Amino acid sequence: MEPGAGAFLEEQFREACAELQRPALSGAAWELLVQTQGISVYRLLDQQTGLYAYKVFGVLEDCLPDLLADVYMDLAYRKQWDQYVKELYEKECNGETVVYWQVKYPFPMSNRDYVYVRQRRELNFEGRKVHVILAQSTSKPQFPEKSGVIRVKQYKQSLAIQSDGERGSKVFMYYFDNPGGQIPSWVVNWAAKNGVPNFLKDMVKACQNYRRT
C-alpha cells in the first residue's frame, strides 16, 4: 500500500495519546540519552538498520497546545525560524497533500531530503484534549531525487501535545529516520543530545513570535 494520509490508522493516533499520558519505556531497551531544559530524550537501537529510534518527553512552557500545533504545521513560517531548512513546501499529488523537505547538513556531507505525508487530528483522550500529528515517508514521481542530495526513504514521526495545566504544553514525540550514507557518530550524537532539545526550544520562541504575526 502506498503510504498516504489514509494510511494513518485510528490506533496510531490513540497510541500517541496514550504514550503522552504513560510513557512506554519498559519491555524494550530504551535508554535515557539526555535530560535538559525540561526535556528527556530516550533512544532504542533498531536491530534491522543499526540506527536509533527516539522518544522525547517534556513540557514546553509559555506555549499553549493549539498554538504549538499550529506553528508545527505552518511550513511557510518554519522556513523563518528553523535554520536547517533548505527547502520546505507542500504540493498536491492526485488529491493528496505531500510535503517536500530538504535539510541542511554540515559540510562536507550532502544535504538530505524527505518526501512525506502528514495528518493532524484533535482527540478527546481520557477527558483530555490532545493534538496529534503523524508523518511518514512516501514516494511520488512528482518528487524525483536531486543530484547531490540524499533522499531519506525511511521516516516516521508522531507528535502528541496537550496542556500542562498552566500556560504550557506537555509533549511526546517519536522519531525515526534512515538518513543513508556515512554520517559521523559525532553528528548523530549531537543531533540527538542537542538538536532535538534546541529544535523544541526554537519552536517555543517561534510560538511567542507567532502571536504577534
Side-chain angles (χ1 to χ4, degrees):
M1 177 177 173
E2 178 70 16
F8 296 119
L9 304 175
E10 175 72 18
E11 180 183 4
Q12 293 174 275
F13 287 96
R14 301 195 69 80
E15 282 177 353
C17 291
E19 186 113 18
L20 179 62
Q21 314 304 328
R22 296 174 291 278
L25 298 167
S26 60
W30 287 97
E31 60 174 309
L32 178 62
L33 185 63
V34 64
Q35 283 183 310
T36 180
Q37 305 169 39
I39 300 296
S40 299
V41 180
Y42 295 82
R43 69 180 182 180
L44 175 68
L45 182 64
D46 181 86
Q47 299 293 341
Q48 185 176 358
T49 62
L51 301 169
Y52 286 98
Y54 296 92
K55 287 183 178 181
V56 183
F57 302 90
V59 172
L60 304 181
E61 297 179 352
D62 298 321
C63 188
L64 294 171
D66 298 59
L67 178 62
L68 184 61
D70 286 347
V71 167
Y72 186 82
M73 292 292 290
D74 191 332
L75 301 184
Y77 184 50
R78 182 167 175 175
K79 288 187 285 187
Q80 299 177 33
W81 62 265
D82 187 345
Q83 62 179 315
Y84 297 104
V85 170
K86 174 71 173 178
E87 284 187 76
L88 182 61
Y89 60 88
E90 290 180 322
K91 185 175 182 178
E92 291 295 318
C93 299
N94 301 321
E96 180 178 59
T97 302
V98 180
V99 179
Y100 176 82
W101 175 33
Q102 185 179 151
V103 180
K104 299 175 186 175
Y105 266 57
F107 180 84
M109 290 182 289
S110 300
N111 287 354
R112 265 60 176 177
D113 66 1
Y114 300 71
V115 176
Y116 66 94
V117 291
R118 61 181 183 164
Q119 187 177 355
R120 172 183 176 177
R121 284 187 55 193
E122 185 180 301
L123 292 85
N124 186 311
F125 188 83
E126 298 179 352
R128 299 178 177 90
K129 177 182 174 182
V130 183
H131 298 272
V132 178
I133 302 165
L134 302 180
Q136 66 182 24
S137 52
T138 187
S139 178
K140 298 290 182 183
Q142 294 92 334
F143 296 92
E145 295 187 27
K146 297 183 177 182
S147 176
V149 179
I150 296 177
R151 176 66 46 89
V152 177
K153 297 178 180 177
Q154 290 177 278
Y155 165 66
K156 184 178 181 182
Q157 185 173 32
S158 11
L159 176 65
I161 310 166
Q162 73 177 44
S163 172
D164 69 344
E166 299 181 4
R167 291 195 55 81
S169 295
K170 180 180 177 183
V171 300
F172 158 69
M173 179 186 292
Y174 170 89
Y175 185 92
F176 175 81
D177 74 7
N178 184 346
Q182 297 297 317
I183 299 181
S185 59
W186 70 266
V187 175
V188 175
N189 291 333
W190 178 90
K193 289 185 176 182
N194 301 289
V196 171
N198 288 345
F199 170 78
L200 294 173
K201 187 170 76 171
D202 289 346
M203 191 158 59
V204 170
K205 290 181 182 177
C207 286
Q208 294 164 355
N209 293 330
Y210 202 64
R211 295 190 185 113
R212 295 192 291 271
T213 58

